[in-house]
């Protein structure tokens, strides 16, 4: 059944196909636009459904359903958390305060 509010239009893409497309983007880190090159789902449909589901708390609920059983079985130390980061110099960052290629100085800023 086509539930388009004005009638006509393309049939609604199934939630399963949209979920597959959303998880593909989240798993691979590709851009939403890359979905147009797959057979999963158009980018605009997947992104619209993603925003709709985020607003409805769907992904939070999925996370909770996955974490709670693990917490009950093994226990999670909620007092310690970290964020992935690196505090190192960029390998090709060059020297600090090196001359600017176009002759500009810091005074001109």
């Amino acid at each position: 059944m086509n539930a388009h509010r004005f009638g006509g239009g393309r049939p609604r893409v199934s939630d399963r196909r949209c979920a597959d497309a959303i998880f593909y983007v989240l798993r691979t880190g590709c851009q939403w636009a890359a979905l147009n090159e797959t057979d999963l789902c158009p980018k605009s449909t997947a992104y619209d459904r993603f925003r709709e589901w985020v607003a409805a708390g769907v992904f939070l609920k999925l996370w909770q359903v996955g974490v709670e059983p693990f917490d009950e079985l093994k226990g999670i130390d909620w007092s310690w958390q970290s964020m992935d980061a690196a505090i190192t110099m960029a390998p090709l960052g060059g020297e600090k305060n090196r001359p600017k290629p176009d002759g500009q100085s810091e005074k001109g800023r």
Side-chain angles (χ1 to χ4, degrees), residues 25-93:
V25 169
L26 296 176
R27 185 176 62 248
T28 64
C30 72
Q31 296 178 351
W32 290 101
L35 288 175
N36 289 343
E37 302 301 320
T38 70
D39 292 329
L40 295 170
C41 179
K43 69 175 183 173
S44 58
T45 303
Y47 185 70
D48 290 347
R49 201 79 56 91
F50 172 74
R51 292 189 44 127
E52 179 184 326
W53 291 348
V54 166
V58 171
F59 294 103
L60 176 61
K61 186 65 176 173
L62 283 173
W63 179 78
Q64 290 170 335
V65 167
V67 168
E68 287 173 359
F70 182 82
D71 190 22
E72 291 172 8
L73 288 172
K74 298 283 186 177
I76 297 174
D77 181 6
W78 294 104
S79 65
W80 185 88
Q81 300 167 7
S82 71
M83 189 178 227
D84 186 12
I87 304 174
T88 61
M89 297 290 290
L92 302 175

Side-chain angles (χ1 to χ4, degrees), residues 1-31:
M1 178 181 128
N2 185 0
H4 194 277
R5 64 182 171 177
F6 301 119
R10 294 181 181 179
R12 180 178 169 89
V13 176
S14 74
D15 287 343
R16 177 57 192 242
R17 286 182 60 110
C18 284
D20 287 345
I22 291 167
F23 291 134
Y24 177 78
V25 169
L26 296 176
R27 185 176 62 248
T28 64
C30 72
Q31 296 178 351

